[in-house]
Amino acid sequence: MQTELSRRLGVEHAIFGFTPFPAVAAAISRAGGFGVLGAVRYTAPDELARDLDWMQEHVDGRPYGLDVVMPAKKVEGVTEADVEAMIPEGHRRFVEETLAEHGVPELAEGEASGWRITGWMEEVARNQLDVAFDYPISLLANALGSPPADVIERAHAQDVLVAALAGSARHARKHADAGIDVVVAQGYEAGGHTGEIATMVLTPEAVEAVAPLPVLAAGGIGSGEQIAAALALGAQGVWLGSLWLTTTEADLQSPALARKLLAAGSGDTVRSRALTGKPARQLRTRWTDAWDDPRGPGPLPMPLQGLLVAEAVSRIQKYEVGELLGTPVGQIVGRMNSERGVQAVFDDLTRGFERAVDRVNRIAGRGSQS
């Protein structure tokens, strides 16, 4: 499963695995893929440094990368407190009323929220990069499009490739013009922030738009057959995120959430602004229903929504309130019906890829290549 990009990065399989869990990212790299650690949850530089230290010790010398959430346009002098002050009191009341309706207990006195979307902030993201560039990362990905020009220059000065997620061919061309090295074409089926165009349509459009830059296909991919299809469409690899949530190495810290993911079908997700203020695919729950109900106040724009619901999400997760409990995940959740190790997932992906190649060869009259 080799492509020009995978050979350039020195990985056996052109499978790029995004995950918030260091143990999963390291296991992906050890299995012959390319592990990408999500940095958005790290608000303290020493916490990111701790986990990158751990990864250095557990990737067995294999390459890996980091994913940040950083706006392309710099905003000076805005603090988290400034943003908090912009949240309307009516929205705060709606959060408390929704939690009370479902009997969600308060956090203990003095207990801080364990979940905050603050990695979008200029200061936080740049602190993450100051840490990351002290490590031998091979790729820096940005989930909010092209990072600022000085960040791209800094990465290139350290021989680090820069990737950016795109939901349309137009976005992909903007990334190419900004000087990035890899476009991640993320289709509508994907978990987390995603656009309106399906992966099967988006991938070849992005490939054509930015050629000869490499494109990774993302969204709804969870089998070797789908990987073969992505490569046939011109992608130089795939970007997988949701698939790793039910691996044994993942640290969901919620047995109830793990059970919900394993039981969910491909129709049990919704694209909602309830979590961050931007459309993000996630498990459909009573929480997403409440925010999408036209009778409610509706979600605030990013980053207000993420700060507004931070404590509420922590409470829902801590007390495992089943009807409200969710997580970003793509439509591929319908295939995630057993808990397996990362290596077992890779074994399944490579077998499926071989089956697909053999099938195409037989159709083309070339016979089996096994």
Side-chain angles (χ1 to χ4, degrees):
M1 221 181 294
Q2 289 242 319
T3 65
E4 181 181 346
L5 179 60
S6 66
R7 286 189 288 269
R8 181 178 180 183
L9 288 168
V11 296
E12 182 180 358
H13 303 300
I15 298 173
F16 294 70
F18 163 79
T19 174
F21 306 119
V24 175
I28 290 168
S29 290
R30 290 197 307 271
F34 189 93
V36 182
L37 178 65
V40 70
R41 68 190 181 97
Y42 295 98
T43 57
D46 59 334
E47 294 174 353
L48 178 59
R50 177 201 63 206
D51 282 357
L52 288 176
D53 282 338
W54 187 92
M55 283 192 62
Q56 275 292 107
E57 297 173 2
H58 292 85
V59 294
D60 293 348
R62 307 290 182 88
Y64 62 93
L66 191 75
D67 178 278
V68 296
V69 178
M70 192 174 194
K73 294 181 180 178
K74 187 173 182 177
V75 179
E76 298 279 6
V78 177
T79 67
E80 186 175 333
D82 295 332
V83 178
E84 287 268 15
M86 300 176 190
I87 297 173
E89 283 303 316
H91 280 73
R92 295 187 188 278
R93 285 196 301 272
F94 180 76
V95 168
E96 289 305 319
E97 290 168 359
T98 304
L99 295 176
E101 179 184 346
H102 294 278
V104 183
E106 298 271 359
L107 294 176
E109 185 175 352
E111 184 177 358
S113 165
W115 185 95
R116 294 186 77 76
I117 294 292
T118 55
W120 60 270
M121 296 183 70
E122 182 80 13
E123 181 182 356
V124 174
R126 287 188 178 274
N127 287 341
Q128 292 169 348
L129 294 176
D130 287 340
V131 171
F133 284 129
D134 285 337
Y135 292 82
I137 61 172
S138 299
L139 180 138
L140 174 68
N142 190 35
L144 284 183
S146 303
D150 68 296
V151 172
I152 297 174
E153 292 173 6
R154 185 178 178 186
H156 287 167
Q158 297 190 208
D159 294 324
V160 175
L161 297 183
V162 180
L165 274 66
S168 70
R170 179 176 61 85
H171 291 157
R173 280 191 291 269
K174 288 180 64 176
H175 298 338
D177 292 343
I180 62 94
D181 307 289
V182 181
V183 169
V184 181
Q186 180 168 281
Y188 173 81
E189 306 94 324
H193 297 132
T194 184
E196 302 278 359
I197 305 172
T199 304
M200 193 79 173
V201 175
L202 175 62
T203 301
E205 287 185 351
V207 169
E208 182 178 348
V210 302
L213 283 184
V215 170
L216 300 176
I221 300 173
S223 72
E225 289 86 352
Q226 290 171 306
I227 295 174
L231 299 188
L233 292 172
Q236 288 201 28
V238 292
W239 178 275
L240 310 182
S242 299
L243 192 63
W244 317 109
L245 288 173
T246 53
T247 57
T248 54
E249 291 90 346
D251 185 20
L252 286 178
Q253 297 184 336
S254 172
L257 179 56
R259 290 192 295 270
K260 287 191 75 171
L261 287 169
L262 293 171
S266 56
D268 292 329
T269 69
V270 64
R271 193 166 161 270
S272 170
R273 293 171 51 215
L275 189 62
T276 69
K278 281 185 174 289
R281 186 169 297 284
Q282 54 203 280
L283 283 178
R284 181 177 180 179
T285 66
R286 294 286 183 87
W287 179 254
T288 62
D289 286 348
W291 283 104
D292 295 339
D293 190 329
R295 294 171 296 179
L300 295 168
M302 189 184 206
L304 300 180
Q305 183 71 12
L307 292 173
L308 168 66
V309 305
E311 182 180 318
V313 171
S314 289
R315 288 164 61 182
I316 292 166
Q317 291 176 344
K318 176 178 179 179
Y319 299 109
E320 296 193 308
V321 183
E323 56 192 3
L324 302 181
L325 188 62
T327 187
V329 68
Q331 291 179 332
I332 198 63
V333 70
R335 295 183 62 95
M336 295 158 49
N337 49 25
S338 65
E339 187 179 24
R340 300 176 294 166
V342 167
Q343 184 60 63
V345 173
F346 262 82
D347 291 343
D348 186 55
L349 293 175
T350 53
R351 284 193 297 265
F353 181 81
E354 291 168 357
R355 286 194 301 268
V357 171
D358 284 348
R359 187 180 301 124
V360 171
N361 279 328
R362 286 195 298 272
I363 292 170
R366 297 190 182 96
S368 175
Q369 301 297 304
S370 298

